[in-house]
Amino acid sequence: VGRSQHMLGEAADLSVPNEQVARDWFQWIVRNTNFDQLLFEHSSRLLNRWLHVSCRWDRKRNRHQAIYNYKVS
């Protein structure tokens, strides 16, 4: 995706083995980092789950947007 944060080197998707691990990491990131966006994403069709974490190069512009149950089709 042209201007996605992934393509700009501002985002990563972290694979997690289960929801408890996702919850633990989600809470740790919220409490301890200056992030732009944090999404716990999952696909029921593919049975995958991951955390999308981003941080803008200009950290003053980070939105601290955290969405725990972001469903991807």
Side-chain angles (χ1 to χ4, degrees):
V1 185
R3 297 248 340 128
S4 92
Q5 286 185 288
H6 289 280
M7 298 299 290
L8 298 172
E10 295 180 336
D13 291 334
L14 309 173
S15 180
V16 291
N18 58 55
E19 189 165 350
Q20 183 59 52
V21 170
R23 183 179 300 120
D24 292 345
W25 275 111
F26 189 95
Q27 291 172 353
W28 190 91
I29 291 167
V30 166
R31 292 179 186 146
N32 296 289
T33 68
N34 178 14
F35 63 95
D36 179 47
Q37 198 175 48
L38 173 61
L39 307 173
F40 168 53
E41 299 181 292
H42 62 93
S43 169
S44 53
R45 182 174 56 89
L46 299 175
L47 300 175
N48 290 344
R49 49 182 85 76
W50 61 96
L51 293 173
H52 166 87
V53 186
S54 67
C55 179
R56 295 177 187 241
W57 289 110
D58 178 359
R59 295 193 179 171
K60 293 178 213 159
R61 295 182 57 221
N62 284 339
R63 298 169 285 176
H64 300 106
Q65 179 185 40
I67 301 173
Y68 185 73
N69 198 15
Y70 191 84
K71 190 172 186 178
V72 177
S73 55

